[in-house]
Amino acid sequence: EPEVTQTPSHQVTQMGQEVILRCVPISNHLYFYWYRQILGQKVEFLVSFYNNEISEKSEIFDDQFSVERPDGSNFTLKIRSTKLEDSAMYFCASSEATGGQTQYFGPGTRLLVL
Amino acid sequence: QQQVKQSPQSLIVQKGGISIINCAYENTAFDYFPWYQQFPGKGPALLIAIRPDVSEKKEGRFTISFNKSAKQFSLHIMDSQPGDSATYFCAASISGNTPLVFGKGTRLSVIA
């Protein structure tokens, strides 16, 4: 069964450093999303991406965040200058362009900012 | 108005019992209501979903009940098993490929 994959599974970084989280969505999906989950809290939407541009973003997704689809398979989330409060689990999700709204989530990247 | 309120925060159920988790929403534009199951260290996995044109949907031991007028929906897990022990999130979204708004989650523990 096709699945969303994410790398790395864990990332430890120093405050102020840049991190790039990578995702490979399901191959025939055209909508991509990033969500985050701070430990013990609910899953929160960050950004959605379609047709090589951001379609929606939340107030969490400020100027330090950016997304990119650098090739036909990868979808990345970059955090330019990490803060302590960026420590969270980051989930990538993808969905088909038509016929449904089901979003399939990857296993997540646990980011720890020290 | 974008919130989805979920209760209870945690739930302990005996093996074989019924687990019931409730959610309520305000935004009447929501028209897709999925439930996700999450095991520790894993991503949320879609369990079952419903649209407001039906009042109930059943898949195996899992049933969603939907009350459009009350703006509430609930997940029922029949014959709960220890393997069902996980965190369950309700969510809602507006038609199309739009962001999911999640509830805060319910940690279910099924004890033998």
Side-chain angles (χ1 to χ4, degrees):
Chain A
E1 185 176 318
E3 56 183 19
V4 177
T5 59
Q6 290 185 242
T7 54
S9 58
H10 294 79
Q11 175 95 44
V12 181
T13 190
Q14 295 289 326
M15 188 170 57
Q17 295 296 304
E18 175 183 285
V19 294
I20 298 176
L21 311 182
R22 292 182 169 81
C23 168
V24 179
I26 294 173
S27 62
N28 64 334
H29 287 186
L30 297 179
Y31 282 86
F32 315 119
Y33 312 81
W34 284 101
Y35 292 82
R36 79 171 185 191
Q37 184 180 31
I38 295 172
L39 187 63
Q41 299 187 23
K42 68 177 179 180
V43 179
E44 299 175 291
F45 168 72
L46 291 177
V47 65
S48 60
F49 191 86
Y50 172 71
N51 200 25
N52 282 320
E53 60 182 28
I54 291 173
S55 47
E56 282 191 65
K57 60 182 181 178
S58 71
E59 62 271 15
I60 302 170
F61 193 87
D62 61 23
D63 290 345
Q64 69 163 341
F65 291 93
S66 63
V67 289
E68 191 178 32
R69 185 144 163 91
D71 54 43
S73 59
N74 289 284
F75 178 51
T76 62
L77 174 69
K78 181 191 290 185
I79 310 175
R80 288 191 186 82
S81 179
T82 50
K83 305 172 190 171
L84 296 176
E85 54 265 36
D86 294 328
S87 295
M89 194 77 160
Y90 288 81
F91 294 108
C92 174
S94 68
S95 62
E96 293 178 314
T98 58
Q101 295 166 248
T102 302
Q103 293 181 27
Y104 296 88
F105 283 74
T109 294
R110 183 172 297 281
L111 176 66
L112 178 61
V113 182
L114 301 176
Chain B
Q1 196 177 17
Q2 278 291 93
Q3 284 188 343
V4 175
K5 295 182 180 179
Q6 183 172 346
S7 63
Q9 188 176 352
S10 62
L11 183 61
I12 299 174
V13 173
Q14 291 280 346
K15 179 182 175 182
I18 302 173
S19 304
I20 302 174
I21 305 170
N22 301 298
C23 284
Y25 64 98
E26 288 296 323
N27 189 348
T28 54
F30 287 146
D31 69 349
Y32 175 68
F33 303 91
W35 285 89
Y36 281 83
Q37 180 188 56
Q38 185 182 33
F39 292 104
K42 303 294 184 184
L46 179 68
L47 195 60
I48 186 172
I50 198 169
R51 296 182 191 277
D53 53 344
V54 296
S55 60
E56 186 175 283
K57 183 174 181 180
K58 184 176 181 179
E59 289 183 3
R61 296 184 294 109
F62 301 93
T63 300
I64 299 179
S65 296
F66 186 82
N67 186 329
K68 188 174 181 178
S69 60
K71 292 184 284 187
Q72 295 175 348
F73 59 110
S74 60
L75 176 70
H76 297 232
I77 306 174
M78 312 299 287
D79 187 27
S80 299
Q81 299 297 313
D84 297 330
S85 298
T87 298
Y88 292 81
F89 291 95
C90 63
S93 70
I94 300 170
S95 196
N97 291 287
T98 56
L100 291 168
V101 178
F102 282 86
K104 290 189 174 182
T106 296
R107 180 171 291 184
L108 172 65
S109 297
V110 181
I111 55 176

